[in-house]
Amino acid sequence: MPFSALPGFRDFYPDDMAVRNHIFAVWRDVARRYGFEEVDGPPLESLDLFVAKSGPEIVQQLYAFTDKGDRQVALRAEMTPTLARMAGARAGGLRKPIKWFSVPQLFRYERAQRGRLREHFQLNMDIIGEPGIGADAELLAAALDVVRSFGLGPRDVIARVSSRGLLAALLTGAGVDDERLPLVYNLIDKLEREGAGKVADRLRSDAQLDPKVVDAVLEPFAQPDLEGARAAVRTDEAGAELQAVEDLFARLRAMGMDEFLRFDLSIVRGLAYYTGIVWELFDVAGELRAVAGGGRYDRLLAHLTDVDLPALGFGMGDVVLRELLSDKGLLPSTDRTMDFFVVAVSEDQREAVLSLVSRLRGSGRSVDYSLSGGGVGKQFKAASAAGATRVVVIG
């Protein structure tokens, strides 16, 4: 019977591998330039680790099963739980801040669609042990440097930046109690898709907020930029959180990245563990899913390990990124290249060909030759197909 790749999974033929390797090379180069060290973990983890991080509802999105040791396990759907486990295990002996990056393959059991498959590779960059806004600026700068290194500019990509701390302070100042905050976060996250009218109805019905409180909740989203946020500040706590956001923008402006930035309070990030600055990178045309997203998650390590350290990170998947690079004509050439092709005029030169090929390869050159011999014309055609820069003829 004929076999094919499972739905949502990919085969990587040589052209696809060339693109994948290009993406990985840019990711690793930027991470190196920012002083991050590469780590990795097992693709199979305890199911309880993912449940502890994201709640029991995450199981429906995982490739989860019982292994032969009767353990409940799952293929990793994200790297952050593994990162927290690893950092917690050796936190006492690691120099702070910890700056790690990884390029794991991740698996989620979801409906495959454009920009989202059931497996993908992802750049993760995380900083652990640094509470100041400088770490937030460093991390977002690294993400923006990644897209710049691919040839994307502010006309192609926009970073929509928000703050969970500021949002919480504004909502509290508007009259939302702590118990209702998670539900209000979820409803605000739907503003872009459902519109202010429908969200207002749900704030009254689902969150049971007073109409005046609903108006105050939605006030900063009528103008969801920094000016709108300043106008909605009613408490000292909100003022302090707004100052942190303005400090972030000032730092990124000093790095020459302000053209990429837009403050957008409606960026909530659905993951409940985010505690501070959050952001997402989108294509300016708005035709694709988020290219990357991340933020500060200061309470996660304490929740999953015995170590209480502030942390922040982001993820950038290869699927949406490749779509965007393709749309912009920025995919690398996948033509084959070869330094040398060695041609034998006759079979008498076979030993000389093999000796030269071996010496050239030993010097670090890429070299090919015809395994089955044949006429000189046929071998020159093979050299052309191999993308050889030069041909050496023996005989």
Side-chain angles (χ1 to χ4, degrees), residues 71-318:
R71 291 174 289 260
Q72 295 293 309
V73 297
L75 290 174
R76 61 186 176 194
E78 56 174 317
M79 187 65 183
T80 308
T82 298
L83 177 96
R85 177 181 62 74
M86 292 172 61
R90 296 193 179 181
L94 295 171
R95 181 177 58 84
K96 313 300 186 300
I98 302 164
K99 297 173 72 175
W100 284 352
F101 84 96
S102 59
V103 186
Q105 187 175 22
L106 306 177
F107 306 87
R108 279 187 182 255
Y109 194 82
E110 298 179 312
R111 184 172 65 87
Q113 53 189 296
R114 188 187 184 198
R116 183 182 286 273
L117 301 175
R118 289 179 173 176
E119 61 80 20
H120 71 282
F121 293 90
Q122 181 169 294
L123 169 66
N124 285 83
M125 296 181 71
D126 296 83
I127 301 175
I128 300 170
E130 175 53 60
I133 198 69
D136 298 82
E138 177 80 349
L139 200 69
L140 182 48
L144 292 173
D145 245 349
V146 169
V147 295
R148 289 201 306 191
S149 296
F150 283 114
L152 297 164
R155 294 184 179 181
D156 306 309
V157 177
I158 188 74
R160 295 166 63 184
V161 184
S162 184
S163 165
R164 288 292 288 268
L166 175 59
L167 180 59
L170 292 177
L171 294 178
T172 301
V176 179
D177 56 61
D178 291 343
E179 186 178 333
R180 289 184 173 87
L181 272 177
L183 176 56
V184 174
Y185 284 150
N186 288 334
L187 294 176
I188 288 172
D189 199 29
K190 303 178 189 301
L191 270 170
E192 190 169 3
R193 296 188 299 274
E194 298 186 0
K198 186 173 289 188
V199 170
D201 291 340
R202 296 185 64 177
L203 286 169
R204 288 188 287 266
S205 60
D206 298 359
Q208 298 183 343
L209 296 181
D210 182 272
K212 290 184 178 179
V213 175
V214 171
D215 291 341
V217 165
L218 294 178
E219 177 190 346
F221 300 99
Q223 184 184 348
D225 55 15
L226 278 173
E227 289 300 322
R230 290 190 190 100
V233 168
R234 295 183 176 87
T235 65
D236 291 342
E237 181 184 0
E241 294 288 352
L242 179 61
Q243 181 57 53
V245 174
E246 292 179 329
D247 188 5
L248 173 78
F249 274 67
R251 290 169 182 262
L252 289 165
R253 190 179 307 115
M255 296 183 195
M257 297 181 177
D258 50 309
E259 288 186 288
F260 285 95
L261 304 177
R262 187 174 85 202
F263 180 76
D264 187 344
L265 197 58
S266 67
I267 296 297
V268 177
R269 298 287 290 162
L271 302 174
Y273 62 82
Y274 283 114
T275 58
I277 296 293
V278 291
W279 51 267
E280 293 182 343
L281 293 184
F282 289 94
D283 64 299
V284 171
E287 297 173 350
L288 300 169
R289 305 174 68 90
V291 179
R296 182 170 284 277
Y297 51 91
D298 283 343
R299 293 191 288 268
L300 184 64
L301 264 73
H303 179 63
L304 295 180
T305 73
D306 295 330
V307 175
D308 188 2
L309 286 173
L312 61 158
F314 78 84
M316 178 183 294
D318 71 314

